[in-house]
Amino acid sequence: MNEPNPFLDPARQRELYGHASRLARRTSALMRAKTAGRPVPETIVSLVQTHHGQPDRLGVVLDIGCGRGTSSLVIAEQLRPQRVVGLDAAPSLLAQARERAKDLPDATVDFVEGDFHDLPLPTGSSDVVVAAFCLYHSPHPRNVIAQIARVLAPGGLAVLVTKGLDSYQEMDQLVASAGLDPRAAQHDSLYTAAHSGNLADLAASSLDVIAVLDEEHAFTFDGHDHTAQYLATNPKYDLAPGLYGNPEVLAATLHEFLPDQPLTTRSRITFVVAEPNEGRPA
């Protein structure tokens, strides 16, 4: 029997997001490895510019699961709405987002702690709502999408983003081959709750889907030391206590059991663009 999905386990959330540096290190390692695929925040901006009726006259843009504020800052700089609200449940990530936004000129960005199952914004208050790489943290993502539908203004736009179930499966094979977690390939995907295969259907439960975009993103880690920077804080694997969170020791173990060589892996990124369903009862 598989262990509970770490992304859906409340007991794991402090471990996963209690320290901003943990997420920053993993994200940095992944972005250094990236060889194909447009930057996600810029793609979100492009989709808003393409599908929103007045992309140059936006009021409030809500960025759910804003994390360290990367998408929020790009949205503020490139779309220039009257206000960006970045929402996240992790105080440590919000603190870093506020620090990164300090010197942002000519834009109002607020970072707010909150639960995406009960969005702390008035009904009909947001011209755009973004939910990127966060819906798979909910055991009931339809409830989150219902909240998104509630806060969207008439004529508003939602942009939802997730990953494919088989993302980074080459990393599963590496971990299993090194004996770090022999069952690595048998663990459920971290993205089971909201993935490329079901995101449009989830969105359609409360919104009208108007566009779906799939992109393949590719990553090449240049060797075991680079790979270990990502693996050391990946919650999917059952690593020995001395390895989890310790990239140097993890890298040494990889070197011991496998020849050092680059690792190429992939992830399908899916963007769903949706509008309020004007005919749906409130």
Side-chain angles (χ1 to χ4, degrees), residues 32-53:
R32 283 193 293 117
K34 191 168 184 178
T35 58
R38 291 184 294 170
V40 168
E42 281 78 0
T43 304
I44 291 169
V45 166
S46 176
L47 289 169
V48 173
Q49 291 171 332
T50 299
H51 294 285
H52 196 283

Side-chain angles (χ1 to χ4, degrees), residues 61-66 85-89 112-126 128-131 134-135 141-152 158 160 207:
V61 175
L62 172 62
D63 184 17
I64 300 172
C66 66
V85 178
L87 180 93
D88 206 280
V112 178
E113 184 177 348
D115 181 354
F116 58 6
H117 298 96
D118 185 16
L119 294 174
L121 272 76
T123 296
S125 62
S126 302
V128 175
V129 178
V130 174
C134 63
L135 291 172
R142 281 185 171 83
N143 294 351
V144 181
I145 291 168
Q147 281 287 301
I148 291 172
R150 178 184 66 79
V151 303
L152 272 176
L160 315 177
L207 299 164

Side-chain angles (χ1 to χ4, degrees), residues 52 90 101 164 188 234 270:
H52 196 283
D188 288 341
N234 189 318
T270 297

Side-chain angles (χ1 to χ4, degrees), residues 17-245:
Y17 302 112
H19 299 281
S21 59
R22 181 186 185 284
L23 181 61
R25 285 194 300 269
R26 189 165 78 250
T27 301
S28 174
L30 190 64
M31 290 304 99
R32 283 193 293 117
K34 191 168 184 178
T35 58
R38 291 184 294 170
V40 168
E42 281 78 0
T43 304
I44 291 169
V45 166
S46 176
L47 289 169
V48 173
Q49 291 171 332
T50 299
H51 294 285
H52 196 283
Q54 296 182 308
D56 55 344
R57 297 177 61 187
L58 298 175
V60 173
V61 175
L62 172 62
D63 184 17
I64 300 172
C66 66
R68 299 168 54 245
T70 301
S71 292
S72 301
L73 299 183
V74 171
I75 288 166
E77 291 170 336
Q78 297 190 14
L79 290 176
R80 297 190 175 276
Q82 292 179 13
R83 183 184 179 212
V84 177
V85 178
L87 180 93
D88 206 280
S92 67
L93 301 185
L94 292 168
Q96 190 166 99
R98 293 183 186 109
E99 181 66 23
R100 297 174 75 195
K102 267 192 325 191
D103 300 322
L104 188 68
D106 303 324
T108 300
V109 185
D110 298 319
F111 292 102
V112 178
E113 184 177 348
D115 181 354
F116 58 6
H117 298 96
D118 185 16
L119 294 174
L121 272 76
T123 296
S125 62
S126 302
D127 289 321
V128 175
V129 178
V130 174
F133 306 130
C134 63
L135 291 172
Y136 43 64
H137 285 287
S138 171
H140 306 292
R142 281 185 171 83
N143 294 351
V144 181
I145 291 168
Q147 281 287 301
I148 291 172
R150 178 184 66 79
V151 303
L152 272 176
L157 199 72
V159 181
L160 315 177
V161 190
T162 193
K163 302 184 183 186
L165 285 173
D166 59 353
S167 294
Y168 317 122
Q169 63 181 356
E170 295 85 358
M171 202 161 281
D172 298 347
Q173 296 160 9
L174 176 78
V175 170
S177 297
L180 297 171
D181 179 356
R183 297 183 60 255
Q186 278 71 58
H187 294 308
D188 288 341
S189 170
L190 294 173
Y191 315 114
T192 52
H195 54 84
S196 293
N198 73 352
L199 185 62
D201 287 342
L202 290 173
S205 63
S206 295
L207 299 164
D208 286 337
V209 174
I210 61 172
V212 178
L213 173 65
D214 287 316
E215 292 189 348
E216 182 174 275
H217 289 217
F219 308 85
T220 297
F221 294 82
D222 56 23
H224 291 336
D225 293 345
H226 186 185
T227 304
Q229 291 290 328
Y230 179 80
L231 282 178
T233 56
N234 189 318
K236 182 176 183 180
Y237 305 115
D238 293 331
L239 301 178
L243 300 180
Y244 192 76

Side-chain angles (χ1 to χ4, degrees), residues 174 221-228 251 254-263:
L174 176 78
F221 294 82
D222 56 23
H224 291 336
D225 293 345
H226 186 185
T227 304
L254 288 170
H255 283 291
E256 181 179 356
F257 290 102
L258 294 175
D260 194 10
Q261 58 187 11
L263 172 70

